[in-house]
Amino acid sequence: MKKIGIAITDPEDWTARALISAARGKGFSPSVLDLRKAEVRINSGNSGPGTLPAALFKAGEILLSDLDALIIRDVGAGAYEGVSFRFDILRELEAEGVPVINSPEAIQSAANKYHASYLLARAGLPVPDTVAVQNTEAALKVISRFGDAVIKPVFGYKGKDIARVKEWEIQFSDRKTGPLPVEETIQKLLEEKGMLYIQEFIENPGRDIRAFVVGGTAIGAIYRKAAAGSWVNNLSQGGSSDRCILTDKQKEIAEKASLAIGTAFAGIDIIEGLEGPNKNTNSKVKDQSSEKEQNPRILEVNGTPSGKGIFDAWGINPADYIVEYLENFL
């Protein structure tokens, strides 16, 4: 019986539990582990054929190099050196011959919104107009050109700390403070972050699309609709979900986005966009068949996505597809 490691941080997480159940259902022996508890012993001078391995990788009582494969649900947040150490472990396990999905490279590429935008654009895929800057003057010029802009943390998640700049006022997605002055806030953000990742705000019908891709195939999608009075569609920010049937174009760019980032499975966030005389952020789109094909852009790629939204909407369990993909891979 093959031993499949499943890296989690929250034992009650829906996706973590779904992956464990799916692995058992396929006859695997799942070993649940937390990479935040991992430790490594390096055997300097004692490695080589017939000797000790170069390093011993453990997470609790689990010897990681004995696993037949490792599925990453969550690496865990924290201080830079700790997170970097966990990714080093994943890269080293790959070098030891343990398949890791998603690969550490793919997870890092997806998590870095700036680099992901570059990879998507290089692959010829549509993304919002994006500018990365490192000083206040440059940032203000970009904001002026866009007119309506979004500033995102490069390594943000769950829609946190996203700022919209409109009519020379800044409003954060998850803060209850009122609009803030632009120049002063920009300066403060640059002091904190050292650079700013700025995108044009894409007019939309009050929703975006989360497409779930496994093994290069889109298995389903949901609409994520912003809560009343909000412009952020993340479910973690009070948004709601509904069934979405992807158009051929949306399906194509979702699948190509996963390929461009290098993910075995991913959540691809797509904004439909509204252009021309029908542009209206307050429009109520009743069904996709009544829409004209818009100009979709890829907002981001999630390399450790939750499967709960698509399961609740469609009954589609991405964990089953992920474990089946791994079974075929092994």
Side-chain angles (χ1 to χ4, degrees):
M1 181 180 293
K2 292 187 179 295
K3 294 194 296 183
I4 305 299
I6 301 174
I8 70 171
T9 58
D10 178 6
E12 300 304 315
D13 172 63
W14 186 95
T15 306
R17 290 188 285 109
L19 287 167
I20 295 165
S21 177
R24 287 179 178 146
K26 282 291 186 180
F28 293 128
S29 176
S31 297
V32 181
L33 57 101
D34 188 336
L35 288 170
R36 296 173 301 181
K37 298 178 181 178
E39 55 186 69
V40 180
R41 176 183 174 183
I42 296 177
N43 299 308
S44 177
N46 296 316
S47 60
T51 63
L52 290 172
L56 293 175
F57 305 90
K58 292 184 68 177
E61 298 302 314
I62 299 172
L63 191 61
L64 300 182
S65 53
D66 281 351
L67 297 173
D68 293 295
L70 179 58
I71 300 174
I72 307 299
R73 165 60 183 131
D74 194 0
V75 174
Y80 172 78
E81 290 191 10
V83 175
S84 179
F85 171 58
R86 288 167 225 150
F87 277 101
D88 287 340
I89 291 174
L90 296 180
R91 282 192 291 270
E92 289 152 5
L93 285 173
E94 283 189 317
E96 296 288 335
V98 178
V100 179
I101 64 167
N102 279 315
S103 72
E105 181 181 3
I107 295 172
Q108 288 179 311
S109 292
N112 184 329
K113 292 183 177 64
Y114 158 73
H115 186 56
S117 292
Y118 162 75
L119 293 175
L120 294 169
R122 189 179 70 173
L125 294 168
V127 296
D129 194 358
T130 302
V131 182
V133 300
Q134 298 183 78
N135 64 76
T136 301
E137 182 180 0
L140 294 176
K141 286 181 179 178
V142 173
I143 290 168
S144 178
R145 177 164 69 86
F146 284 162
D148 195 349
V150 177
I151 302 174
K152 298 179 180 179
V154 169
F155 294 103
Y157 63 102
K158 294 186 177 180
K160 296 181 178 180
D161 296 322
I162 299 175
R164 184 175 176 184
V165 189
K166 186 177 181 182
E167 297 177 354
W168 289 100
E169 290 183 328
I170 292 184
Q171 181 71 58
F172 283 88
S173 59
D174 57 341
R175 301 183 191 178
K176 301 204 179 286
T177 57
L180 301 170
V182 172
E183 186 167 352
E184 178 183 335
T185 307
I186 291 295
Q187 288 175 342
K188 185 176 180 181
L189 288 172
L190 280 167
E191 288 172 3
E192 294 173 357
K193 302 175 182 297
M195 62 85 70
L196 292 180
Y197 170 83
I198 309 172
Q199 290 187 324
E200 63 172 332
F201 179 82
I202 304 297
E203 295 286 1
N204 63 87
R207 69 187 186 191
D208 65 16
I209 295 170
R210 162 63 64 89
F212 215 110
V213 177
V214 181
T217 300
I219 63 170
I222 58 173
Y223 290 120
R224 303 187 306 177
K225 300 180 181 180
S230 176
W231 49 273
V232 177
N233 299 312
N234 298 66
L235 302 184
S236 57
Q237 295 298 324
S240 60
S241 63
D242 200 359
R243 292 184 175 188
C244 170
I245 299 175
L246 296 171
T247 66
D248 290 342
K249 185 174 183 179
Q250 291 163 355
K251 183 175 185 294
E252 178 186 15
I253 65 173
E255 292 171 350
K256 287 183 176 179
S258 180
L259 178 64
I261 301 298
T263 50
F265 62 94
I268 314 296
D269 295 344
I270 299 171
I271 196 80
E272 295 161 277
L274 289 172
E275 297 181 348
N278 293 325
K279 182 186 290 188
N280 179 3
T281 55
N282 296 316
S283 63
K284 303 293 184 182
V285 181
K286 294 183 179 180
D287 60 76
Q288 191 163 1
S289 63
S290 65
E291 288 183 52
K292 295 180 179 178
E293 176 65 21
Q294 304 295 337
N295 184 18
R297 279 87 139 190
I298 301 166
L299 293 178
E300 58 186 79
V301 175
N302 191 321
T304 54
S306 169
K308 188 176 187 301
I310 192 171
F311 180 80
D312 288 345
W314 286 102
I316 296 171
N317 188 344
D320 292 335
Y321 289 83
I322 293 168
V323 173
E324 184 177 0
Y325 168 87
L326 184 59
E327 181 184 41
N328 294 334
F329 183 81
L330 294 174

